[in-house]
Amino acid sequence: MSKKFSRRTFAKIAGSASLASVVELPALATPPASQTRTATQSSPARQFPRGFIWGTATASYQVEGAVKEDGRGPSIWDTFSHTPGKVVNNATGDIANDHYHLYKGDVQLMKALGVKAYRFSIAWPRVFPNGDGPANPKGLDFYNRLVDELLANGIQPFATLYHWDLPQSLQDRFGGWEGRDTSKAFGDYAGYVASHLTDRVKHIFTINEFGAFIEVGYRRGVHAPGLKLTGLRLNQTRHHGVLGHGLAVQALRANAKRGTKIGIAENITVAAPVFETSAHIAAAEQATREMNAQYLTVIQEGKYTDWYLKSAGADAPKFTAEDLKIISSPLDFVGINIYTTQFVRADESSPTGFAQVPHPKSFPHAPSPWLFVTPDAIYWGPRHVAKLWCAKEIYITENGCSSSDEPAQDGRVYDTDRVTYLRSYLTQLRRATAEGVPVRGYFLWSLMDNFEWADGYTNRFGLHYVDYASQKRTPKLSADFYREVIARNALV
Ligand code: PNW
C-alpha cells in the first residue's frame, strides 16, 4: 500500500483546517440589509473550495429510450426488462425519459440549475451493436450532438463508458463479464470512443459501480443478466470486471487526445467509524480496504489483499501478474458514488481488526430499502480514498436519494426530505474539503426521475419530477435548493 499522503501530513491539514471550520452561528436579530450576505458572500464556514465543480448525473438506459433507433443493438437490460416479473410493473427502458429526442430541453434544465458539468453514460450497444465487430457511427453521433449541445451551453461533459447496458451479444457469446473476451471487447470500445470524442470530452469514467452490476446482476440475480453465481465463477467475473476497466484505461491512454483525464465511478463500500476515536477510525480505514478488495483496492494497489485471497481459498480468481499490472494502470482521478455507509468498530479479537455493526431495524432509510441515511458516508468515503491510496483528485460521481414525491395542488413537488438529505450530506462533504481532502466536484443523482432499474419507475431520484405520460419535467423544491447551493458555492 502506498502512503505518500502520510498520516502526519493528513493530521496537519485536518488540524489546521478544523479551526477555520468552526460554525458561525447566525445573529438572532435580523441585521440591517446592508450587512446581510449576498448570494456570493456566504459564511466562510459554509463555503466550498473555489472552482468546485457542481454537476448532475444520469445513465443511458435509465433516460434515453429510443432502444431501436439508429442501429442500436439490444442490451442485457432490454432482455431483462422484457422478461416478465423482473422489473416492478414490468416496466422497461424502451421510452424512459425519451432523452434521446429531448436532450436539448434537458440541457436547458441543467443550464437553469447552473451546473458546470453533466455526467452521462454512453450506451455501448449504440456504438457497437454486437459489442465488438463493426462500429455504428450513427449511434455515436447521438453523443456528438449531446456533447456539442452541452459545450454550447457552458456545461462540461463527463462521460461514463459502462453503466450496465452490456450488448446482449456479448452475454450470449461469452457469458458477459464471466468471459475474458468481454473485458477485451470493452477495451476496444473504450479506444474507439476515445478517438472520436476526446477532442471535446475531457473527463472519462470507465465503469460505473462494480459493486452494483456484478453483485446485484451476477450474484443476487436482481439486475440484468439475472444470474446467481457463486464461488470461483463469481470471483472470476469480478476479476474480469476490473480487468476490463484496466484494459479500457490503457486503450484510452493510447487513443485519447492530450489532456483527457481518466477515472472510475465506483460505489465503494464506505466503512465509517461508529464514533471518532483513533481506534475506530483506524478500524474503518482497514475495513474500507478489505471490503473493497475485489474492486477499488486491487485497482489502486495492484494486488488482491491477503485476507481476500485467504478467505476465497480455492475459489480465488485465476489471474496473472500482467493482469494485476493492467488492472492498476494509474488513474487521473477517483470517482466514488456515495449513498450510504457501513458502520464498523475496532475489534482486537477479529483477524482483520474490525467488526461490522449492522444497522438496527429502526435506522432511517429512504424509500429504497438499502439507502440508509448516513451523511458521514460522504466525509469518510473521500477521506479514506485520499488516505489509503493518496488520491490527488476525487469526484463524488453520484449522491442523492429517492423520495415518495407527489405533486402538490400547485403542481410543484415539495421534497423536503430530499433537501434535508442533501443538506446533511453536503455539510459532511464540506467538512472533508475544509480538511484538505481533495474532492474536486460533486454530481447529484439525478437530473430527473428515471428508470430505476429493478424498481422501474416507482422510485424517484430526480431534481425534476417527470410525468412519464407527457414527458413533462417539473423542478422540485430540491432543484431550487441545488440552484442556490451552486450560485453561492456554499451550503444553504
Ligand atoms: C446507483 N445499493 O445504483 C446507480 O449508479 C444508478 O444507476 C442508480 O439509479 C442510483 O445509484 C440509485 O439507485 C445503486 O444497493 C443501486 O447499495 C443499488 C445500490 C447502490 C447504488
Side-chain angles (χ1 to χ4, degrees):
M1 180 183 7
S2 53
K3 273 239 173 62
K4 277 172 245 151
F5 199 51
S6 77
R7 276 167 206 276
R8 206 182 306 146
T9 325
F10 194 91
K12 236 163 122 190
I13 299 169
S16 59
S18 60
L19 281 178
S21 67
V22 173
V23 177
E24 284 178 16
L25 291 174
L28 286 178
T30 314
S34 60
Q35 286 177 26
T36 53
R37 294 177 190 279
T38 65
T40 50
Q41 296 172 314
S42 300
S43 152
R46 300 170 76 78
Q47 204 75 42
F48 280 84
R50 196 169 302 150
F52 194 77
I53 295 178
W54 296 101
T56 56
T58 65
S60 46
Y61 190 72
Q62 295 182 272
V63 298
E64 286 178 1
V67 291
K68 292 196 173 139
E69 236 163 288
D70 295 329
R72 176 186 179 278
S75 81
I76 56 172
W77 267 97
D78 297 294
T79 309
F80 191 74
S81 65
H82 280 270
T83 308
K86 298 295 185 192
V87 174
V88 175
N89 298 331
N90 292 324
T92 73
D94 288 1
I95 300 173
N97 297 36
D98 200 20
H99 176 70
Y100 194 80
H101 300 112
L102 303 177
Y103 69 96
K104 285 193 178 173
D106 293 336
V107 171
Q108 290 312 307
L109 300 179
M110 296 176 216
K111 199 173 179 184
L113 287 173
V115 295
K116 315 267 183 297
Y118 175 48
R119 174 175 174 244
F120 60 95
S121 80
I122 296 172
W124 184 354
R126 283 197 197 283
V127 183
F128 287 94
N130 289 318
D132 53 11
N136 172 40
K138 266 186 146 182
L140 188 78
D141 262 352
F142 169 65
Y143 302 102
N144 277 318
R145 295 195 290 280
L146 174 64
V147 165
D148 290 344
E149 188 69 15
L150 289 165
L151 291 173
N153 284 280
I155 299 166
Q156 289 181 53
F158 281 58
T160 307
L161 296 177
Y162 185 71
H163 203 125
W164 311 353
D165 39 5
L166 185 78
Q168 180 64 44
S169 169
L170 297 178
Q171 190 65 42
D172 297 341
R173 286 182 288 144
F174 309 134
W177 292 100
E178 268 204 79
R180 208 179 160 96
D181 288 326
T182 292
S183 319
K184 285 195 197 131
F186 184 60
D188 294 344
Y189 153 64
Y192 180 85
V193 171
S195 51
H196 287 81
L197 288 183
T198 54
D199 55 334
R200 288 153 295 150
V201 178
K202 295 298 171 201
H203 293 83
I204 300 209
F205 307 98
T206 54
I207 289 184
N208 181 72
E209 297 196 350
F210 301 100
F213 85 87
I214 293 182
E215 302 306 320
V216 190
Y218 285 81
R219 176 169 65 86
R220 287 174 43 211
V222 174
H223 281 183
L227 299 177
K228 291 190 176 162
L229 303 181
T230 54
L232 174 59
R233 277 178 73 184
L234 176 61
N235 284 329
Q236 203 62 40
T237 304
R238 291 164 167 160
H239 180 71
H240 292 153
V242 288
L243 180 66
H245 154 82
L247 289 167
V249 175
Q250 295 193 339
L252 288 164
R253 295 263 181 245
N255 292 282
K257 296 261 182 302
R258 274 172 73 112
T260 309
K261 291 195 168 186
I262 300 166
I264 194 163
E266 171 62 335
N267 65 329
I268 176 179
T269 300
V270 177
V274 277
F275 48 83
E276 297 183 18
T277 62
S278 49
H280 291 319
I281 292 172
E285 278 167 19
Q286 175 61 7
T288 298
R289 197 172 159 257
E290 289 299 350
M291 288 163 130
N292 296 283
Q294 307 106 326
Y295 302 130
L296 199 55
T297 304
V298 68
I299 287 171
Q300 295 292 331
E301 300 184 13
K303 65 191 272 292
Y304 288 112
T305 67
D306 296 340
W307 180 250
Y308 167 59
L309 292 178
K310 201 172 150 203
S311 342
D315 289 336
K318 309 275 176 259
F319 58 88
T320 64
E322 178 62 16
D323 284 0
L324 294 179
K325 253 175 90 182
I326 295 169
I327 291 167
S328 57
S329 304
L331 298 176
D332 300 306
F333 60 84
V334 179
I336 46 179
N337 295 355
I338 299 283
Y339 289 94
T340 196
T341 194
Q342 169 66 60
F343 288 112
V344 302
R345 60 181 171 81
D347 181 358
E348 279 173 17
S349 69
S350 142
T352 51
F354 67 87
Q356 298 190 25
V357 181
H359 298 300
K361 267 204 190 109
S362 56
F363 204 104
H365 64 79
S368 313
W370 53 270
L371 213 174
F372 293 99
V373 181
T374 52
D376 308 31
I378 208 166
Y379 169 73
W380 288 107
R383 181 176 148 152
H384 288 326
V385 169
K387 176 83 185 297
L388 285 168
W389 302 303
C390 310
K392 298 281 183 301
E393 219 172 287
I394 298 172
Y395 287 93
I396 304 299
T397 31
E398 284 181 29
N399 172 240
C401 75
S402 47
S403 156
S404 56
D405 300 316
E406 274 171 35
Q409 291 265 307
D410 63 2
R412 292 295 310 275
V413 173
Y414 295 96
D415 53 342
T416 48
D417 51 353
R418 183 174 287 108
V419 172
T420 303
Y421 172 102
L422 292 172
R423 190 190 298 107
S424 314
Y425 277 64
L426 289 177
T427 301
Q428 291 299 318
L429 179 61
R430 198 215 155 258
R431 178 184 173 203
T433 57
E435 290 182 8
V437 179
V439 181
R440 303 288 180 238
Y442 168 92
F443 292 85
L444 202 155
W445 185 273
S446 175
L447 171 67
M448 52 187 167
D449 300 335
N450 55 48
F451 178 78
E452 178 54 16
W453 306 114
D455 290 342
Y457 296 98
T458 56
N459 245 337
R460 294 172 179 270
F461 274 80
L463 291 173
H464 293 87
Y465 184 86
V466 176
D467 172 10
Y468 293 102
S470 65
Q471 290 297 350
K472 185 166 181 266
R473 285 81 155 121
T474 307
K476 302 177 191 174
L477 186 68
S478 53
D480 298 344
F481 163 80
Y482 197 40
R483 192 183 323 106
E484 290 288 337
V485 169
I486 295 171
R488 296 165 196 241
N489 197 33
L491 292 161
V492 286

